[in-house]
Amino acid sequence: MFETQLKVLLLAFKIDVGKHVRHFLTLKDYAKEEILEILELGLAIKKEQKSKIPHPYLMGQTLAMIFEKSSTRTRVSFEAGMYQLGGHALFLSNRDIHLGRGEPVKDTARVISSMCDMVMIRTYAQSMLEEFAAHSKVPVINGLTDSYHPVQLLTDYMTMMEHGKDQNAVVAYIGDGNNMTHSWLMLASKLGFELRIATPVGYECDPAIVADAMEFARISGAKITITNDPKEAVQGATVVTTDTWISMGQEEEKAQRILDFKGYIVDEALMKRADSEAIFLHCLPAYRDVEVSETVLEGGQSLIFEEAENRLHAQKGLMVWLDKHR
Ligand code: CP
Ligand code: NVA
């Protein structure tokens, strides 16, 4: 019964198969319906995996994974996910490939996409990812840039769905206006839920990304509030989330940031202002008693490890969806 449902889903998605490759560089490029299709697929495949039903939808395919920054979850989830889908993943650190020695992005893109079926890239500038995608014959997935972390948001929303928190969602993001915050802006404004962001002065989101989100929000009906007051943001929220104050590449700013973010820790006192059944999410890695208290991180409202596992399931849905849309 379940297998049949999944086949129907896959068939339905084929109707919209475009003539050119779809990349997954930012949620900005995705419609609400498409985001939900990816998540539905991910959840269906998760059920198959949990029931030990083989699901080799990407049999014989190769995913190239280029990492210019460190990773635990992204590497393991894409590599394990591709294997479970019947394919193979290549881990390519920029220390080991010629990209790190100055081979042009456009040459690397043309070479890798002539041999592999999909590419995942974790890098600094969003423009590098865009340049790679422009020269790639196969789908390119953003595995985190300085601007966005869209696969993490698929995962976070999947976790919200599984806990019924996608209904009447009021998400409070407390902390740095970074790649995670920008991705929350895109997700909320596309899907139409309420998002409140509280950052310290001087650490606000990129105004161009906020402007885009406000434009999408006008269409979707999302309510987006941006403040410098964490207490105001978290009041009655059904989902509370944060991220590190020191993202990869910002290590030298650590001491200053710790000073500037004083008062932005998500601790029990702050959580008490949220809805009594609010959940806590964090993309991880988390720094205990820095952006979040140990008690909240390890407490009953925290879903951080379910969220981490969902990286695997959401991204399997994404890879199968991208394969169907080439
Ligand atoms: N959340 C996340 O992307 O984790 P990694 O940096 O370990 O991949
Ligand atoms: N904002 C963090 C997310 C890590 C998954 C970073 O970019 O380092």
Side-chain angles (χ1 to χ4, degrees), residues 2-3 6-7 10 41-61 77-88 309 312-317 319-321 323-324:
F2 179 69
E3 254 186 307
L6 187 61
K7 277 188 196 135
L10 290 172
L41 255 183
L43 284 166
I45 296 170
K46 179 175 182 177
K47 267 195 199 164
E48 290 192 326
Q49 197 207 343
K50 296 287 176 194
S51 313
K52 301 206 185 317
I53 298 170
H55 43 279
Y57 302 121
L58 301 183
M59 178 79 98
Q61 296 201 23
S77 54
F78 271 109
E79 192 162 333
M82 195 54 172
Y83 178 73
Q84 291 164 14
L85 289 168
H88 173 69
E309 182 191 324
L312 175 73
H313 308 299
Q315 290 162 193
K316 283 165 80 179
M319 289 191 285
V320 173
W321 191 94
D323 183 53
K324 297 294 161 215

Side-chain angles (χ1 to χ4, degrees), residues 280-299:
F280 174 76
L281 298 177
H282 191 309
C283 64
L284 304 181
Y287 299 90
R288 286 164 160 75
D289 297 324
V290 181
E291 75 272 10
V292 55
S293 69
E294 169 92 29
T295 49
V296 169
L297 201 67
E298 298 285 357

Side-chain angles (χ1 to χ4, degrees), residues 70-75 122 149 152 248 283-285 311:
S70 311
S71 167
T72 299
R73 282 142 287 265
T74 305
R75 178 181 176 179
R122 168 166 285 196
H149 196 5
Q152 182 68 50
M248 289 179 273
C283 64
L284 304 181
R311 289 294 300 274

